[in-house]
Each structure stands twice: as C-alpha cells, then as structure tokens.
Amino acid sequence: MEQEWKQSLYVYVDQENKGRVAPAIMPVHHSVKDSRFLKAHGERSRRLAEWYDRRGITPLRGETGVRTLRTVRQSSGEVVADVALHSAFYYEKGGITHREDKIESERLTFVRTGKNWEIVNIERSVPERNLLRRAAETEPALRMSKWGEVLPAPRPSQPLLSRKVQRSISGAKEVRYRREEAAAYADRWWKDGNPEFEVFEVDCTNYVSQCLFAGGAPINYTGKRETGWWYKGYNGAQEWWSFSWAVSDSLERYLSGHRSSGLRAEAMERPDQLSLGDIIQYDWDGNGHYQHSTIVTAFDAEGMPLVNARTVSSRHRYWDYRDSYAWTDRTAYRFFHIDDYL
C-alpha cells in the first residue's frame, strides 16, 4: 500500500518541479483534488512568471527530491504524511548560471479512490511568518512543531560561553569583520544546522547570529536577555540567550542602535548597496514587526544579493523572497551593512 500512495506523491513532486521551471505553463495536477490549493497554485504560477521576467532570468532546470518525514495517520483508505521537498533551481542571468536551493515542508492527505490515490489536502508550513514566542524566553514552555504538536523538552547542553567566546566579548581590541568567513559558515550550515547550537522552531535569526559570530562579530554578554547580543545555550531547561540573538524583531532593533564598539551596522536604502555577510530582514505585513532574517552569501550577475536562511532552509535565494509563501504585497525590508571593524 505504501508504494501505491507514494507513486501519487512522486507524480505531484514532478509536477511541482516542472511548474517551478516553467510557471507560465500551468501543470496539470491529475492526482490533486484540493481546490483551494489548485486556485492558489494558479495565482502563484502567474506571479512567478512575472517575477522571472522582471528579474531578467532564464529558467534552465529544476531538481526536486522528496523525503517522508513521518506518517501521521495511515489506514487502508487514507494516509496523512509530513514530507520535505528539497528543490534545486538552475537559471541563467547575464551569461552566468546560478543555482538556488530550498527545503520546504508540507502535510499531504492521500485518499484511495478505486485503484488510485488522490491528494485531497495540501497543508504548507510557512514558518517564515512565525515569531519566536517571547514567553518561552523567560521560562520554560511547551515547544510546538510547525504543525502545532507538542515537542519533547530539549536536552540540556553545556553553556557555550567558552573561552573562545570570551575572547570575542565586546570591549576587546577592535576586530575586522571577516565577511567571507561569515558567508562560508552560512553555506556550511544552511541545511542541517550546527549541532553545537540549539536549533529553534523559528531558527532564522539564531542562524544569522551564528554567521555573524563566525565572521568575528564580538559577543556583547550582559547576562540580561533584553540587552546585549549573546548566546550560552541551555542550563538545564532554561534557555540562555539574548532576545537579539534569536528573535528577528529584536535583532533589527539591536542593529538599528548606536554603539561605539561591538556589533554595529548601518541601515542602507537599497539591496545593491550590501556586501557579503550583510543582513536583510523582512516584515511580511508592513506593520513594523520583523519576522525573518537572512544573510547575504552571493550576488547574481546584476550584482543583486542572494541570501541564505534557515527555518525554511535556503541557499543563494534571491533577496526579495517573492517566491516565499510568506511574502505579501505589503512586505517591507531592512538592509543592514555590517561595519568593517567591530
């Protein structure tokens, strides 16, 4: 039975892959009977085609693999499964071939109809829109999966304010921000996450902070969660990190602040003013609250930033995120150029 419903899954993934490369040609999802999805998919395909044209890119090919994360429910006539889709998208711009990667999660409901299996519901996780809950930052709380299910409590880890970190605390001699090392770290850990750090349900800002630290940004350890920029890990069940380390909105405020030493940044007006290792933050609703953070890791042939992120793990993704399910026409951006010397 498993092979039967998985054949329907593979057909669906193949159609999604083709639709990413040629969005103007509407793929026929024979196995999908979710009318809500089909309507949204049509609108998204038109938006992607316009986006490609505006960027002046030529799609070349896509490679999409699927992995079943777990089977939530299974019977002789119905299967509910969580899957991860890893897509590699190749395109040409200015005579240069670019590749971007992203990993997205979906929950699919399959129903048997005669000898075939149909997908009757597609539920897409959009964790880029989620905020890390601040209630969990002061005392232990239930950790929830992207599907709203309770996760087990994290295993205690050794606090990470080691001698290596102590040498990077603000107040030491001014250091150069090593942009290439920040970008190299981002490319090394975009997919799986560095096991020396806690992986959060909403992990984008924790990941970006790690990249900044790998580039030499000095820790500003205050011991107070609402001040400084620091990380220690878990002490028992208690989290030890500043809001600015792991919460996008708090990092935006920290980078917007003025200080004479340590991690400092200048807000820029345009994305093409950014350099390798700089930061872009996203306010999907345009209400002044930033929900997502990325780091610049490359540039396209026109000199526009390509970024890495986690939560929805992404590598060398075009900076404006118009292909994200979180994006809206109200989306606002903050472009931060990290100072060369910190």
Side-chain angles (χ1 to χ4, degrees):
M1 184 182 76
E2 181 171 323
Q3 276 307 116
E4 293 175 354
W5 69 261
K6 282 196 171 180
Q7 285 304 313
S8 180
L9 169 64
Y10 299 147
V11 170
Y12 163 69
V13 171
D14 180 63
Q15 291 300 312
E16 283 291 282
N17 185 60
K18 291 176 180 176
R20 180 75 190 277
V21 178
I25 303 173
M26 286 292 293
V28 179
H29 282 284
H30 295 291
S31 62
V32 176
K33 304 303 179 184
D34 182 344
S35 59
R36 175 189 50 81
F37 164 81
L38 293 172
K39 179 181 178 182
H41 191 273
E43 295 171 353
R44 174 178 169 80
S45 295
R46 286 188 289 273
R47 179 156 60 91
L48 278 181
E50 293 171 359
W51 187 53
Y52 291 171
D53 185 62
R54 185 164 52 248
R55 289 171 56 191
I57 69 172
T58 301
L60 300 176
R61 72 182 190 276
E63 299 170 358
T64 302
V66 62
R67 179 166 58 95
T68 302
L69 301 176
R70 67 179 185 135
T71 303
V72 180
R73 188 167 63 252
Q74 183 167 342
S75 67
S76 60
E78 182 185 61
V79 173
V80 179
D82 293 342
V83 301
L85 280 69
H86 182 170
S87 63
F89 174 56
Y90 298 83
Y91 61 93
E92 183 272 333
K93 182 178 176 66
I96 298 176
T97 297
H98 295 281
R99 167 180 170 160
E100 72 170 45
D101 293 82
K102 62 181 177 180
I103 302 173
E104 297 176 294
S105 298
E106 299 181 354
R107 174 168 287 184
L108 306 178
T109 301
F110 301 81
V111 171
R112 183 194 290 274
T113 56
K115 295 181 179 180
N116 300 315
W117 287 82
E118 295 178 343
I119 303 174
V120 298
N121 188 60
I122 299 173
E123 183 181 347
R124 285 196 162 120
S125 170
V126 192
E128 293 161 324
R129 290 195 63 85
N130 297 340
L131 287 169
L132 194 60
R133 294 183 303 169
R134 293 183 65 116
E137 297 164 353
T138 54
E139 59 184 359
L142 290 179
R143 289 157 51 86
M144 310 297 287
S145 76
K146 64 188 67 177
W147 307 111
E149 298 157 332
V150 177
L151 297 174
R155 290 175 293 181
S157 65
Q158 186 69 23
L160 294 176
L161 197 63
S162 62
R163 275 178 285 188
K164 175 184 175 183
V165 175
Q166 289 173 359
R167 287 196 296 270
S168 299
I169 293 177
S170 283
K173 189 170 90 172
E174 190 175 60
V175 298
R176 181 177 64 86
Y177 180 46
R178 302 185 299 274
R179 299 180 179 279
E180 295 81 6
E181 292 184 26
Y185 182 98
D187 279 346
R188 169 68 180 85
W189 297 110
W190 74 274
K191 185 177 178 182
D192 300 315
N194 187 340
E196 292 190 13
F197 291 85
E198 177 67 18
V199 175
F200 295 93
E201 176 192 348
V202 181
D203 202 45
C204 59
T205 308
N206 173 44
Y207 166 75
V208 162
S209 288
Q210 291 176 39
C211 297
L212 291 168
F213 179 62
I219 292 290
N220 179 10
Y221 179 67
T222 65
K224 298 179 180 178
R225 303 176 67 82
E226 67 276 6
T227 63
W229 178 74
W230 55 274
Y231 177 93
K232 285 184 69 174
Y234 272 86
N235 183 6
Q238 177 65 55
E239 299 167 353
W240 284 52
W241 41 268
S242 66
F243 295 158
S244 59
W245 182 278
V247 180
S248 186
D249 202 49
S250 297
L251 178 61
E252 188 275 333
R253 289 195 297 272
Y254 189 81
L255 293 178
S256 297
H258 298 285
R259 55 189 62 84
S260 59
S261 63
L263 176 57
R264 304 188 301 281
E266 179 183 359
M268 312 303 285
E269 294 183 358
R270 304 188 314 273
D272 59 354
Q273 295 173 307
L274 298 179
S275 303
L276 206 65
D278 284 342
I279 305 301
I280 303 178
Q281 296 192 285
Y282 303 75
D283 168 10
W284 305 120
D285 304 305
N287 60 7
H289 297 290
Y290 290 83
Q291 298 147 293
H292 189 52
S293 306
T294 66
I295 181 168
V296 177
T297 52
F299 297 88
D300 71 8
E302 197 177 24
M304 298 302 287
L306 306 176
V307 299
N308 283 25
R310 277 188 52 78
T311 303
V312 171
S313 296
S314 305
R315 178 182 178 274
H316 295 191
R317 192 169 176 178
Y318 193 70
W319 71 270
D320 70 4
Y321 260 60
R322 285 176 176 260
D323 62 333
S324 170
Y325 295 105
W327 189 88
T328 72
D329 57 9
R330 301 181 302 279
T331 297
Y333 306 91
R334 286 283 274 170
F335 309 110
F336 284 110
H337 175 67
I338 305 300
D339 283 11
D340 290 326
Y341 289 90
L342 305 171

